Amino acid sequence: MALFTRKSTAAPVTAEAPAVDPALAALTGTYTLDPAHSSIGFTVRHAMVTNVRGSFGEHEGTLVLDGTDPANSTAAIDVKIASVDTGIADRDGHLVSGDFFDAEKFPLMTFRSTRAEQLGGEAYRITGDLTIKDVTRPLSIDLEFNGSATDVYGNERVGFEGSAEILRSDWGLTWNAALETGGVMVSDKVKLTFDISAIKAAAPGGGF
């Protein structure tokens, strides 16, 4: 099932509007990220030879899906920087310090979407503004729509997974250390990963 429809470049053969897929239209609504079943993580090269993986344990967000006009769909996510977890407490402490995120002064990393487009099949690209510390820059996230389902508690869910690559220096995260053998301690390139499960909110006065 496609979440976003792709506009045809061919000339219309009739004046009638295209029919709306009922299953797609049924997805219309506001969804809240379920942090217990979602993850926002990252991977970065360390000492030129291996990768360090981490995640942010505390985050919240809202998806507004419009199944009849998917271009109106939006996403907003807030991530608590102090919740970073790489499995080593000293490293996590360095990441939240002024050398990196300065979490005391800038407690949140935020994303606000500005555009959604279909790449083909269930593949999409969400573009928006990513803010880290006091820097806001555009970011495009490639996503796969994993489908929708009603869970055992009666919650209507949608799922997405995706990734994006950034240069951390673009957001002012420039700390590094030179290695005796050449190169640097921490790569500039960072891969962000998203595995999202979101629950549909009940409509005021009843269902949709």
Side-chain angles (χ1 to χ4, degrees):
M1 182 199 313
L3 180 61
F4 298 97
T5 54
R6 176 177 292 178
K7 294 182 179 179
S8 172
T9 57
V13 295
T14 69
E16 296 180 1
V20 175
D21 181 348
L24 183 63
L27 296 179
T28 297
T30 299
Y31 295 76
T32 301
L33 264 64
D34 177 6
H37 297 94
S38 300
S39 65
I40 297 175
F42 60 90
T43 303
V44 61
R45 184 63 61 88
H46 177 261
M48 308 295 292
V49 296
T50 190
N51 291 319
V52 168
R53 293 175 174 81
S55 62
F56 295 93
E58 296 183 38
H59 46 79
E60 60 184 22
T62 302
L63 308 178
V64 180
L65 304 183
D66 187 337
T68 60
D69 188 0
N72 291 330
S73 300
T74 61
I77 300 175
D78 294 338
V79 177
K80 187 175 180 180
I81 293 297
S83 71
V84 66
D85 182 6
T86 65
I88 298 179
D90 287 347
R91 182 164 57 205
D92 297 341
H94 192 196
L95 287 173
V96 301
S97 75
D99 282 346
F100 284 95
F101 288 108
D102 197 357
E104 185 174 348
K105 186 176 181 181
F106 305 101
L108 295 178
M109 173 172 61
T110 66
F111 177 78
R112 298 292 183 268
S113 68
T114 56
R115 182 184 179 191
E117 56 185 314
Q118 184 181 13
L119 302 180
E122 305 298 344
Y124 300 89
R125 179 169 292 146
I126 302 297
T127 299
D129 295 323
L130 176 67
T131 300
I132 302 175
K133 298 175 76 169
D134 56 351
V135 179
T136 299
R137 294 179 62 89
L139 173 70
S140 292
I141 305 170
D142 288 339
L143 294 167
E144 185 80 11
F145 177 50
N146 289 337
S148 61
T150 301
D151 66 22
V152 295
Y153 302 105
N155 297 312
E156 297 180 60
R157 292 178 178 268
V158 292
F160 299 87
E161 60 181 312
S163 63
E165 287 191 350
I166 66 171
L167 297 178
R168 60 188 178 91
S169 59
D170 287 344
W171 280 266
L173 302 174
T174 57
W175 182 93
N176 227 321
L179 301 174
E180 292 184 3
T181 54
V184 292
M185 180 70 74
V186 185
S187 163
D188 191 21
K189 182 186 295 184
V190 181
K191 181 179 181 180
L192 304 176
T193 55
F194 305 86
D195 197 345
I196 301 299
S197 178
I199 299 173
K200 191 175 187 179
F208 285 97

